Amino acid sequence: MRFLHLADLHLGKRLYEFSMLEEQRYILNQILEIIETERIDGVLIAGDIYDRMVPSAEAVQLLDEFITNVAGRKIPVFLIGGNHDCMERISFGARLFEKSGVYFAAGCQGCQDPITLKDDYGELDIYLLPFLRPVHVRQAFPELAENIVSYQDAVQTVLSRITLNRGRRNILVAHQFVTGAAQSGSEEFQVGGLDNVDASLFADFDYVALGHIHGAQWVGKETIRYAGTPLKYSFAEAGHRKTAAVVELREKGTVEIREIPLTPLHDLRKLRGTYEELTRRSAYENTNIEDYIQITLTDEADIFDALGKLRAIYPNLMKLEYDNSRTEKETNVMPETEEKRKPITYMKELFLMQNGRTMSPVQENYLEKLIETVWEENF
């Protein structure tokens, strides 16, 4: 049985105020072609279907078009919610959609009863597990609430309710941050890695279709895999090669994975040099000026209206920055370290400014727990 593993579509996303809807429609049409040419038997979409909890009407319409096209080919679709999705919205009409072979995970307990498919090698079970937060799992299992402290506890609690038929092939579709996965720069995570879960939780599944990390990769073993985003959503990903994963499960224990390249309508690229260098005809004649571009100017002096002037040449210029002796000096004076970006650091500095003394260990511990609780409930 052959599946296409997708994740993190982020439909409706805006990047530096540029709408990505045209790019997303283009890449979804390309994915439909892959589904056709690869003779896919099922599509797995591992969360972050939308970019916002309340998606735009255009984003909802785009998903509707894509799902309708896949279901119209009599190919089942299996979707879960990610941390960007509102579970109630994406699971609306779930029971009705099942009649068309479209399966949505609903609620933090996920789909405890698997969807069973059958091929020449026998039966195959698919489990859907949407993004889990400890606070929601505690609400679902109040009798175990005091034992559900971390994301690891939350996922372990829900998975412990699943009774796998080990004689069958088993697939899990999930959306979590597995410890050891390499971040791409455009994901959202809790401070301090509090949302990490261990890959060992998924050891009993034949294939784990993951979402949440934007770079395609496997964690722990090849069959615990992130699909990555189908498009680049950060200039940190400018050098990435985006793919769609084709996963074929034959007899129990045999899994073959292939990556099919995805080609965007417009690429994300970085350019660097002086204003004069980047505005020379030779520079932009050898460049796809329609691509989404980040420019780093190395001029010592600021160029008046550089953004406007450069956009006359590069219409999709998203980001402009300088890198010169002045910016290097500012960076050395105020390094932007990971510690600087943590909320607790800012709160400690504010406390010192307001009270003229540092925060006590008891106060700091209380504040860290409060930040963790607020983050957990809202993100």
Side-chain angles (χ1 to χ4, degrees), residues 220-286:
K221 59 181 180 179
E222 192 177 0
T223 53
I224 301 176
R225 192 173 191 84
Y226 285 101
T229 55
L231 291 167
K232 300 173 185 178
Y233 290 137
S234 165
F235 283 104
E237 302 171 35
H240 287 196
R241 184 178 69 99
K242 294 299 181 179
T243 60
V246 174
V247 183
E248 188 167 358
L249 287 86
R250 300 193 186 98
E251 65 273 7
K252 176 77 174 179
T254 301
V255 181
E256 180 183 305
I257 302 164
R258 291 183 293 114
E259 292 183 331
I260 308 296
L262 295 172
T263 304
L265 180 60
H266 301 108
D267 204 354
L268 241 72
R269 296 189 302 107
K270 295 180 179 181
L271 297 178
R272 178 186 176 88
T274 65
Y275 177 80
E276 182 182 352
E277 290 169 342
L278 294 173
T279 54
R280 284 179 191 157
R281 183 178 296 273
S282 59
Y284 57 81
E285 279 187 343
N286 296 323

Side-chain angles (χ1 to χ4, degrees), residues 109-140:
Q109 297 180 52
C111 184
Q112 294 183 28
D113 297 324
I115 302 102
T116 301
L117 304 179
K118 191 172 183 178
D119 64 4
D120 293 341
Y121 297 102
E123 293 180 311
L124 180 150
D125 289 338
I126 299 176
Y127 293 86
L128 304 180
L129 193 67
F131 180 69
L132 297 178
R133 294 181 175 89
V135 64
H136 296 142
V137 179
R138 285 195 291 267
Q139 292 168 359

